[in-house]
Each structure stands twice: as structure tokens, then as C-alpha cells.
Amino acid sequence: MPEAFSDRRVLVVGMGGLGCPVALALAAAGVGTLGIVDDDCVELTNLHRQVLFDESMLGVPKVDAAAPSLEKFGVRVERHRTRFVPERAVAIAMSYDLLVDAADNFPTKFLVADVARKLGVPVVHGSAERWSGFAFAVGKGGGPCYRCVFEDVPIGPGAGPARNCNDTGVVGAALGVIGAVQADLALRMLAGDALADGTLFQFDGLRGRGRTSRRAAQKACPLCSDDQVAIERARYLVTN
Ligand SMILES: [Zn+2]
């Protein structure tokens, strides 16, 4: 097993279409400990995009189905068979060096962003829908962060429920691309590559295009400003 990352601890939130390829790549790269968080069980409709699972695992909790495949690489797997919710998110995340947001819904993605900022650890977000997706790396100090780009959970008239993969559909290959880039960004940040911070990779699978840019922090961002009231307000919105 490679030694460079053998003492590093990474938490992957969500073991679905993104969590599977991210965790696989991090395990193969020699990350010492992977925490994996999910409260779902494997379903037949998952199999085309969640590459760690097969038909023999239907009905099995995803963290239990995924762990043996990851452990083959020598990684220590810590299973968190639960939802990543405000009441326990900090307790779950506090022992990890880096968080990976592989969640499929907005409230969880903002919560991962807030928890990373609170704990002062880097986070790599990822999202995919239909043929497209993005990966976004945020350093331990934020600035720019997920809230600089997306501000807050969609709420109010017309916003409707937050969409996820089951609602909109997603191509497994697009998830594989985004998951691989998330793992790449995570490893770069673990290795101390400051250029990874703020990197946004956008992928258009229908046109075979990828684009990398760097985002700037927004002064009004509740997480990157020094305004403690604004930070608390952001957490209030996530919690409620
Ligand atoms: Zn921000």
C-alpha cells in the first residue's frame, strides 16, 4: 500500500453514485482510514451507477456492502450507518482530516460545508445530474466555499423540493468522472497542494468537455466573512 497517505483520515458523506467511485479511488491511493456515512440500503435501481454494489447486496446497508471491497486495498473502514444530520454531524466528522461531500441532496451538502468550516478541515464537494456535474475543492479556511458559490438551500415559492439523482436521473459515467476528480482534488489537498483550494471542475458529458476554473470568495458569504452572526444564521438555516 502506498505510504504517503497511510496516516490520513477521510470521511465520505454518502455512499451512492459519487461516494462509491470516490471511496474506491481513495482506498486504492492508500488513504489510511476511510469513514463512510450512509443510512440507505442497496436497491436494484442503484446498480447502474453505484459501482461497489451488485445484485447479491440488495437490501444490505450500503456502508456494510461497500466496506469489504474497500478493505481489500488495506484501508481501515469506519462505518457510520446513519444520516449525516445537524444533531450528530460534528461528532461524526471531528476526527477526520478531510471531508468529501458525496451527498445527493442540498441540505446535506450545505451541512457538510458548514461542518468543514466549523472544524477547519478541507472539503471536496461533488454533484452530478443527467450528463453533467462538478467537483469543487475548499481549503481548510474556506474562502471560497460552497456557500460562496451556491449561497443556501433552495427555499421559498417555486423552489420546490431539492432535486436528487433519483428525481432527475444521472448517467453513471458522469458520476465516475466527477468521483475521480473529487478523489484527485482530495489527494492533492492531503498532499498540501495549495493550488487545489478553490478549484471548480465542471464536466459536460454530452459534449465531452471539462473546464477548470478558480472561484473567489464572496464578501457576503456567511461562512467566509468574519461575521459570527452571519455564520450562526447559516447554521440556523441548515438546522431548520
Ligand atoms: Zn464562502
Side-chain angles (χ1 to χ4, degrees):
M1 188 172 81
E3 293 296 323
F5 304 108
S6 62
D7 64 343
R8 310 312 295 273
R9 297 172 51 81
V10 176
L11 182 72
V12 180
V13 179
M15 282 307 293
L18 285 173
C20 285
V22 173
L24 193 57
L26 293 175
V31 169
T33 302
L34 276 181
I36 55 177
V37 188
D38 206 302
D39 73 331
D40 279 342
C41 296
V42 178
E43 299 178 20
L44 187 62
T45 56
N46 300 151
L47 300 185
H48 74 285
R49 66 181 189 272
Q50 302 185 13
V51 294
L52 288 174
F53 310 135
D54 61 40
E55 287 190 37
S56 72
M57 301 169 183
L58 296 180
V60 176
K62 288 182 179 177
V63 294
D64 295 330
S69 297
L70 300 171
E71 288 164 345
K72 288 178 184 171
F73 293 95
V75 64
R76 173 182 153 86
V77 177
E78 296 176 347
R79 307 179 192 189
H80 302 279
R81 198 179 306 124
T82 179
R83 289 186 69 80
F84 195 76
V85 292
E87 296 76 33
R88 61 183 82 102
V90 170
I92 291 172
M94 66 187 311
S95 70
Y96 293 92
D97 301 315
L98 184 145
L99 310 185
V100 173
D101 160 26
D104 65 356
N105 64 85
F106 285 119
T108 305
K109 303 181 92 64
F110 281 98
L111 178 59
V112 175
D114 293 355
V115 168
R117 188 73 175 92
K118 179 180 177 66
L119 296 176
V121 295
V123 53
V124 182
H125 297 280
S127 185
E129 183 178 295
R130 302 181 191 276
W131 291 81
S132 302
F134 73 85
F136 180 39
V138 177
K140 61 183 179 182
C145 77
Y146 194 73
R147 285 188 183 276
C148 288
V149 179
F150 299 103
E151 296 187 0
D152 211 330
V153 178
I155 55 174
R163 297 184 301 178
N164 62 39
C165 294
N166 287 331
D167 297 334
T168 61
V170 61
V171 175
L175 290 161
V177 171
I178 299 301
V181 174
Q182 280 187 276
D184 173 76
L185 289 168
L187 293 169
R188 286 173 59 193
M189 289 205 288
L190 288 175
D193 179 0
L195 290 176
D197 295 2
T199 296
L200 177 67
F201 174 79
Q202 295 166 286
F203 177 67
D204 178 349
L206 273 181
R207 293 174 178 79
R209 290 180 189 156
R211 177 172 177 266
T212 300
S213 58
R214 290 181 64 79
R215 305 301 295 231
Q218 302 297 307
K219 282 185 179 173
C221 172
L223 290 186
C224 296
S225 74
D226 292 327
D227 184 345
Q228 198 61 34
V229 174
I231 293 172
E232 292 305 323
R233 178 175 169 275
R235 294 203 183 107
Y236 175 83
L237 288 172
V238 165
T239 308
N240 295 275

